């Protein structure tokens, strides 16, 4: 039995990972640490918290005293760091918070882990580590910058972040790499492409579009809609992370991607088509509509002012994780997008809950300017 500290476990990917671990492995006990920012929602994982195999602690990854207390109380073996400010548009408005959480939070977690996990020194003065410990940094393909029409990001692509968000994630990666080199710190990193699936906060493209379609609101497409993202179903990402935590080589970076490039405008059109199709096939879904079914059409698409510094294209080459660890994406996009949209149609209570705070204010501030 190993005890995992899962940070950011009440957010989108972290909560999916918590559910995946609890349902797939008997040899793990989880401590979820989450500050419950606007992006975290305790209700998302409340059924998973049982105070036996899964504990929840509300708190900040930057809080050294709290993180120390967690290592002492729970004897943490593995840290999987999802906690972050994750939305590029918000990083353009308020970069500082991104630097604090994403960089200093990462450094704080590693420093506490270092104190608890070190077992001694080798002949060259490097720290030695308990064999069962592991730190895993959940990173992003955005650290590699932006691609033109051709090519893929590999693990050796130079780092070239272009937004405050991606600069903060890149800085965190560099701190992790520095600990690996300097202390032989037992860490791994994964850099993943865009995720989609259940529990995705509706500030991000796909859940925002679904939410707006259901109320007949305009669907904001930045620029000309030709920017490309490489979409991966969230559970496939969770599986990749767990494979790296268990079998990945210490010190290594693994790229994770869906081999599923789509222009934003294609995503928006597919989402409109799929919502309509599901509504027609299963008329009971129409009960969640706040508009007439006939309004759900491409006419809702509204091209708006582009994101500042908008990266043109991301595309991951996942050959390394495939050849070393046998990982491949399992969920074809056509299947994943239907599953996702069904989930949203059936969980409007969750959407209401997570958008009940400042969401409306955020939305107006962000989109009325465009
Ligand atoms: P999210 O915004 O949905 O969730 C982030 C979670 O972290 C929230 O629950 C929030 O409350 C928590 N959090 C924020 N600041 C915190 C702090 N200081 N202390 C403790 N908890 C804090 O994000 P997500 O989309 O689930 O992303 C998770 C991780 O995966 C991030 O590190 C992100 O950079 C990375 N990532 C995301 C994607 C994607 O497509 N969403 C792709 C690749 C990598
Ligand atoms: O690539 C991985 C990254 O994917 C993660 O590291 C980030 O945490 C995650 O938020 C995501 O970043 P993106 O900026 O790619 O995701 P977002 O959903 O915000 O936007 C996807 C694309 O859609 C992007 O090209 C911008 C565009 N977009 C987004 C929104 C919110 C629109 O056209 N309209 C919108 O309203």
């Amino acid at each position: 039995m190993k005890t995992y500290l899962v940070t950011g476990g009440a957010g989108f990917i972290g909560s999916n990972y918590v559910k995946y671990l609890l349902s797939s492995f008997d040899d793990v006990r989880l401590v979820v640490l989450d500050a419950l920012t606007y992006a975290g929602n305790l209700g998302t994982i409340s059924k998973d918290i049982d105070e036996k195999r899964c504990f929840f602690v509300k708190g900040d990854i930057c809080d050294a005293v709290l993180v120390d207390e967690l290592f002492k109380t729970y004897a943490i073996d593995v840290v999987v760091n999802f906690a972050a400010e994750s939305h590029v548009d918000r990083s353009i408005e308020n970069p500082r918070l991104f630097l604090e959480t994403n960089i200093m939070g990462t450094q704080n977690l590693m420093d506490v882990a270092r104190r608890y996990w070190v077992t001694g020194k080798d002949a060259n003065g490097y720290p030695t580590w308990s064999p069962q410990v592991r730190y895993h940094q959940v990173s992003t393909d955005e650290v590699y910058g932006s691609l033109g029409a051709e090519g893929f990001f590999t693990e050796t692509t130079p780092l070239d972040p272009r937004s405050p968000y991606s600069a903060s994630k890149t800085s965190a990666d560099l701190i992790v790499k520095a600990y690996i080199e300097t202390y032989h710190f037992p860490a791994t990193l994964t850099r993943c492409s865009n995720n989609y699936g259940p529990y995705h906060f509706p500030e991000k493209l796909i859940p925002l579009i679904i939410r707006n379609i259901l109320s007949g609101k305009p669907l904001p497409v930045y620029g000309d809609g030709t920017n490309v993202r490489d979409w991966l179903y969230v559970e496939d990402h969770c599986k990749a992370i767990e494979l790296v935590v268990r079998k990945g080589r210490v010190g290594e970076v693994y790229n994770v991607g869906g081999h599923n490039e789509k222009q934003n405008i294609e995503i928006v059109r597919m989402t409109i088509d799929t919502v309509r199709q599901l509504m027609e096939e299963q008329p009971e879904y129409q009960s969640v509509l706040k508009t007439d079914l006939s309004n759900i059409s491409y006419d809702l698409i509204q091209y708006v002012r582009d994101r500042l510094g908008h990266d043109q294209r991301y595309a991951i080459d996942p050959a390394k994780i495939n050849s070393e660890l046998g990982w491949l994406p399992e969920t074809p996009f056509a299947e994943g997008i239907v599953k996702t949209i069904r989930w949203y149609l059936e969980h409007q209570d969750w959407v209401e809950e997570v958008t009940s705070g400042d969401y409306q204010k955020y939305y107006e501030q962000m989109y009325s300017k465009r």
Side-chain angles (χ1 to χ4, degrees):
M1 180 68 89
K2 283 192 182 183
T3 302
Y4 283 40
L5 178 63
V6 181
T7 71
F12 166 44
I13 309 176
S15 64
N16 278 282
Y17 179 73
V18 165
K19 290 172 197 297
Y20 167 64
L21 283 193
L22 291 174
S23 62
S24 306
F25 298 94
D26 292 327
D27 59 349
V28 293
R29 173 174 96 128
L30 310 181
V31 179
V32 176
L33 171 63
D34 197 297
L36 299 181
T37 67
Y38 78 92
N41 175 43
L42 191 51
T44 302
I45 52 164
S46 53
K47 291 204 177 92
D48 305 298
I49 301 162
D50 61 3
E51 303 298 326
K52 290 190 192 91
R53 277 192 72 207
C54 185
F55 303 83
F56 178 78
V57 179
K58 181 176 180 208
D60 189 337
I61 56 167
C62 300
D63 182 341
V65 175
L66 173 66
V67 175
D68 192 283
E69 191 63 36
L70 296 182
F71 271 76
K72 196 187 298 162
T73 308
Y74 295 103
I76 304 295
D77 300 297
V78 173
V79 176
V80 184
N81 183 25
F82 291 93
E85 288 295 333
S86 68
H87 193 37
V88 174
D89 292 323
R90 289 187 193 249
S91 83
I92 295 167
E93 299 298 311
N94 179 13
R96 188 187 177 103
L97 179 60
F98 283 70
L99 308 192
E100 284 166 359
T101 295
N102 299 359
I103 306 173
M104 295 315 294
T106 298
Q107 191 269 341
N108 184 48
L109 291 170
M110 289 197 299
D111 254 9
V112 177
R114 207 152 71 84
R115 284 203 296 281
Y116 279 86
W117 289 350
V118 72
T119 53
K121 266 189 194 164
D122 72 12
N124 297 315
Y126 285 103
T128 53
W129 304 94
S130 162
Q132 67 180 42
V133 300
R134 180 64 71 90
Y135 177 93
H136 184 75
Q137 180 70 5
V138 181
S139 184
T140 168
D141 59 359
E142 297 200 13
V143 301
Y144 298 121
S146 181
L147 290 166
E150 302 289 317
F152 296 93
F153 297 134
T154 72
E155 289 78 0
T156 56
T157 300
L159 302 178
D160 182 25
R162 294 152 39 97
S163 73
Y165 163 72
S166 54
S168 71
K169 291 296 288 184
T170 308
S171 306
D173 282 17
L174 291 175
I175 301 283
V176 177
K177 296 284 274 178
Y179 274 51
I180 291 167
E181 292 301 327
T182 309
Y183 308 117
H184 288 176
F185 187 66
T188 42
L189 302 96
T190 41
R191 294 185 179 138
C192 189
S193 60
N194 284 61
N195 286 212
Y196 69 100
Y199 303 109
H200 206 180
F201 190 78
E203 65 186 348
K204 308 283 170 35
L205 180 67
I206 291 179
L208 183 141
I209 292 299
I210 297 172
R211 184 173 187 271
N212 284 14
I213 290 173
L214 298 183
S215 50
K217 280 171 53 176
L219 310 178
V221 173
Y222 298 167
D224 63 4
T226 62
N227 302 67
V228 171
R229 297 293 181 266
D230 178 2
W231 295 92
L232 179 69
Y233 193 65
V234 61
E235 196 172 77
D236 288 342
H237 183 195
C238 295
K239 288 179 181 172
I241 290 172
E242 193 48 17
L243 205 52
V244 171
V245 167
R246 286 174 187 248
K247 298 192 177 146
R249 285 184 293 135
V250 164
E252 293 292 315
V253 174
Y254 295 88
N255 281 355
V256 182
H259 269 315
N260 180 49
E261 290 181 55
K262 297 258 180 287
Q263 289 189 345
N264 293 336
I265 189 65
E266 286 179 77
I267 292 285
V268 173
R269 289 192 184 126
M270 276 183 85
T271 307
I272 296 169
D273 292 341
T274 310
V275 171
R276 258 201 91 98
Q277 190 192 330
L278 288 174
M279 295 271 167
E280 282 163 3
E281 282 170 13
Q282 284 181 255
E284 65 272 22
Y285 281 142
Q286 293 178 26
S287 65
V288 303
L289 276 179
K290 296 187 185 116
T291 184
D292 201 81
L293 182 59
S294 61
N295 291 334
I296 301 183
S297 74
Y298 295 169
D299 289 346
L300 290 176
I301 294 170
Q302 192 171 82
Y303 290 93
V304 297
R305 199 191 68 205
D306 208 354
R307 174 183 278 173
L308 303 182
H310 196 176
D311 288 342
Q312 181 56 37
R313 174 173 166 257
Y314 304 145
I316 280 276
D317 176 0
K320 179 174 171 181
I321 190 169
N322 175 240
S323 64
E324 279 192 25
L325 304 176
W327 180 89
L328 273 179
E330 290 170 22
T331 314
F333 188 74
E335 182 187 318
I337 192 70
V338 172
K339 257 163 71 167
T340 301
I341 293 172
R342 267 189 204 285
W343 187 89
Y344 278 91
L345 297 179
E346 291 166 10
H347 292 82
Q348 282 296 298
D349 49 342
W350 182 88
V351 176
E352 291 296 325
E353 192 179 328
V354 301
T355 55
S356 63
D358 283 347
Y359 182 82
Q360 201 48 40
K361 201 168 132 206
Y362 161 80
Y363 192 88
E364 276 157 23
Q365 270 173 3
M366 200 57 91
Y367 291 94
S368 63
K369 287 187 235 158
R370 297 197 119 101

